[in-house]
């Protein structure tokens, strides 16, 4: 089903022989990605996000991938805090990384 006028889906056309298939993929929100990059980069001064970032770098991620992964982790923590009404706790959010770093 094509969604006309919706900017959140980008059509992908694949043609092979007699068949023609149009898929839709979600594209990222550029403003959220830019804000997340800055937020994750600024959070590297804290022990938890820094330990998570360093772990991702040791695993083999490049800087941008490790930073994006750190942002995704922090965004998940923010979602949890908003859903449960609990305040942010770094030891709960990055507990396994904090104990491994110490």
């Amino acid at each position: 089903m094509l969604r006309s006028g919706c900017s959140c889906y980008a059509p992908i056309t694949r043609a092979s022989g007699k068949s023609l298939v149009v898929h839709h993929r979600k594209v990222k929100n550029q403003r959220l990605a830019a804000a997340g990059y800055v937020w994750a980069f600024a959070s590297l001064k804290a022990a938890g996000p820094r330990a998570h970032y360093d772990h991702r770098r040791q695993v083999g991620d490049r800087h941008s991938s490790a930073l994006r992964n750190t942002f995704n982790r922090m965004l998940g923590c923010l979602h949890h805090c908003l859903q449960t009404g609990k305040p942010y706790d770094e030891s709960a959010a990055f507990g396994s990384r904090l104990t491994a770093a110490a």
Side-chain angles (χ1 to χ4, degrees):
M1 177 178 175
L2 287 174
R3 294 184 183 195
S4 61
C6 180
S7 63
C8 59
Y9 292 94
I12 300 173
T13 305
R14 300 191 187 223
S16 172
K18 295 181 181 180
S19 65
L20 177 69
V21 179
V22 178
H23 295 281
H24 298 280
R25 69 174 175 86
K26 287 191 174 186
V27 294
K28 68 180 178 182
N29 184 333
Q30 295 290 347
R31 289 183 180 168
L32 180 62
Y37 185 88
V38 172
W39 182 30
F41 190 74
S43 74
L44 293 181
K45 293 180 180 179
R50 184 65 197 203
H52 183 76
Y53 171 83
D54 289 340
H55 170 74
R56 296 303 305 181
R57 291 288 288 168
Q58 287 176 353
V59 169
D61 287 354
R62 292 181 178 249
H63 169 73
S64 59
S65 297
L67 210 56
R68 187 172 53 247
N69 191 283
T70 304
F71 169 59
N72 286 337
R73 178 77 177 257
M74 292 171 46
L75 196 60
C77 295
L78 175 63
H79 182 263
H80 174 75
C81 291
L82 292 173
Q83 290 294 316
T84 61
K86 295 180 181 177
Y88 173 75
D89 181 19
E90 187 174 357
S91 63
F94 295 97
S96 61
R97 298 280 182 251
L98 286 174
T99 55

